[in-house]
C-alpha cells in the first residue's frame, strides 16, 4: 500500500547520482505481459532479466527507478538494424519498474521501461541500453487499477523533474547510451 503522505517532487540528491548509481543494463526489447499499453495506457519496453544482475547488483531492491535509454529506433519507433553504423542510438528519458508488480501478483521479476516519448508503434527486437541514475520509490500493491495508474503517472513526473536537473541531464550523452546498437552484447554491469 502506498503511503498517504505527499510524494517528493524529485528523487536523488541534487548533486547527482550516488552509489550504486549509475547502473548499466542492456538487452533486446521483448514482448511483456501486454498490460502496459492495452490495460494501463502506459506502454513499456521490456528487457529480459534472466541471466542478468541489475547493473552488477543482484540485491538491488525492487521498485521504480529513472534514467536514460539508448535505443536503435528513430522517433517514430522504426527499428534501425545494429549493422547500420551510420544511425547512432537515440537517447530518451525513462522511468522503469524492476520487480514483481504486486498488483498483478507476478511470480517472475521483470524490467519494464516506460520511455518518455510517444512512439507510433512497438519496437520489439530493438536493442536498449539503460543508464539507471536513481531510485524513485519501492514497489507497492494497490487497491485499484486507477490508483496504480495515478502513481505511475506521478512516477513519470518525478522522473522528468529529476532528470531535468543539471547533475542528471548531463548523463543523457553518456557513451554507454550512444555506443551503437547492440555493440558488446546484452550485459548488466
Amino acid at each position: 500500500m502506498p503511503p498517504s503522505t505527499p510524494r517528493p517532487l524529485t528523487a536523488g540528491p541534487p548533486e547527482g547520482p550516488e552509489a550504486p548509481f549509475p547502473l548499466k543494463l542492456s538487452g533486446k526489447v521483448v514482448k511483456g505481459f501486454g498490460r502496459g499499453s492495452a490495460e494501463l495506457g502506459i506502454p513499456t519496453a521490456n528487457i529480459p532479466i534472466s541471466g542478468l544482475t541489475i547493473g552488477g547488483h543482484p540485491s538491488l531492491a525492487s521498485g521504480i527507478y529513472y534514467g536514460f535509454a539508448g535505443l536503435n529506433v528513430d522517433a517514430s519507433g522504426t527499428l534501425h538494424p545494429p549493422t547500420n553504423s551510420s544511425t547512432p542510438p537515440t537517447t530518451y528519458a525513462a522511468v522503469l519498474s524492476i520487480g514483481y508488480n504486486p498488483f498483478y501478483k507476478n511470480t517472475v521479476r521483470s524490467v519494464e521501461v516506460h520511455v518518455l516519448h510517444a512512439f507510433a508503434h512497438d519496437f520489439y527486437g530493438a536493442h536498449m541500453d539503460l543508464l539507471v541514475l536513481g531510485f524513485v520509490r519501492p514497489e507497492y500493491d494497490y487497491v485499484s487499477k486507477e490508483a496504480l495508474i495515478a502513481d505511475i503517472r506521478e512516477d513519470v513526473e518525478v522522473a522528468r523533474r529529476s532528470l531535468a536537473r543539471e547533475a542528471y541531464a548531463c548523463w543523457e550523452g553518456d557513451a554507454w547510451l550512444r555506443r551503437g546498437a547492440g555493440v558488446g552484447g546484452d550485459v548488466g554491469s
Side-chain angles (χ1 to χ4, degrees), residues 6-19:
R7 301 259 309 266
L9 295 177
T10 59
E15 301 80 28
E18 59 186 16

Side-chain angles (χ1 to χ4, degrees), residues 3 8 17 29 33 36 41-42 45 49 55 68-69 75 77 92 99 102 135 146 151 162 173 182:
V29 176
F33 299 106
I42 302 165
I49 198 168
F68 290 104
Y92 301 97
F135 180 77
E146 293 72 26
D151 228 17
S162 298

Side-chain angles (χ1 to χ4, degrees), residues 46-92:
N46 302 280
I47 59 173
I49 198 168
S50 60
L52 298 177
T53 61
I54 305 299
H57 297 270
S59 61
L60 188 69
S62 291
I64 310 305
Y65 294 83
Y66 63 93
F68 290 104
L71 281 165
N72 64 327
V73 298
D74 63 22
S76 73
T78 301
L79 180 64
H80 295 287
T83 57
N84 185 355
S85 60
S86 65
T87 307
T90 306
T91 304
Y92 301 97

Side-chain angles (χ1 to χ4, degrees), residues 2-181:
S4 58
T5 57
R7 301 259 309 266
L9 295 177
T10 59
E15 301 80 28
E18 59 186 16
F21 305 105
L23 300 175
K24 296 175 181 177
L25 188 60
S26 181
K28 184 187 285 189
V29 176
V30 297
K31 188 157 181 59
F33 299 106
R35 298 184 294 240
S37 292
E39 192 172 322
L40 302 175
I42 302 165
T44 59
N46 302 280
I47 59 173
I49 198 168
S50 60
L52 298 177
T53 61
I54 305 299
H57 297 270
S59 61
L60 188 69
S62 291
I64 310 305
Y65 294 83
Y66 63 93
F68 290 104
L71 281 165
N72 64 327
V73 298
D74 63 22
S76 73
T78 301
L79 180 64
H80 295 287
T83 57
N84 185 355
S85 60
S86 65
T87 307
T90 306
T91 304
Y92 301 97
V95 62
L96 55 147
S97 169
I98 299 173
Y100 297 93
N101 301 309
F103 180 76
Y104 289 104
K105 314 277 188 270
N106 293 356
T107 58
V108 176
R109 202 168 191 216
S110 63
V111 177
E112 298 175 87
V113 182
H114 177 59
V115 178
L116 304 185
H117 177 82
F119 293 98
H121 49 79
D122 294 332
F123 45 86
Y124 299 122
H127 184 84
M128 178 184 287
D129 291 319
L130 286 168
L131 192 62
V132 183
L133 299 176
F135 180 77
V136 175
R137 63 171 177 85
E139 282 189 306
Y140 300 126
D141 199 351
Y142 293 88
V143 296
S144 69
K145 182 170 54 172
E146 293 72 26
L148 170 62
I149 292 169
D151 228 17
I152 293 171
R153 288 188 177 142
E154 182 61 25
D155 296 335
V156 167
E157 293 311 312
V158 169
R160 281 187 204 281
R161 288 187 296 264
S162 298
L163 291 168
R165 296 176 295 174
E166 186 177 339
Y168 292 84
C170 65
W171 290 90
E172 187 173 8
D174 189 84
W176 170 260
L177 300 169
R178 315 272 313 151
R179 67 194 178 118

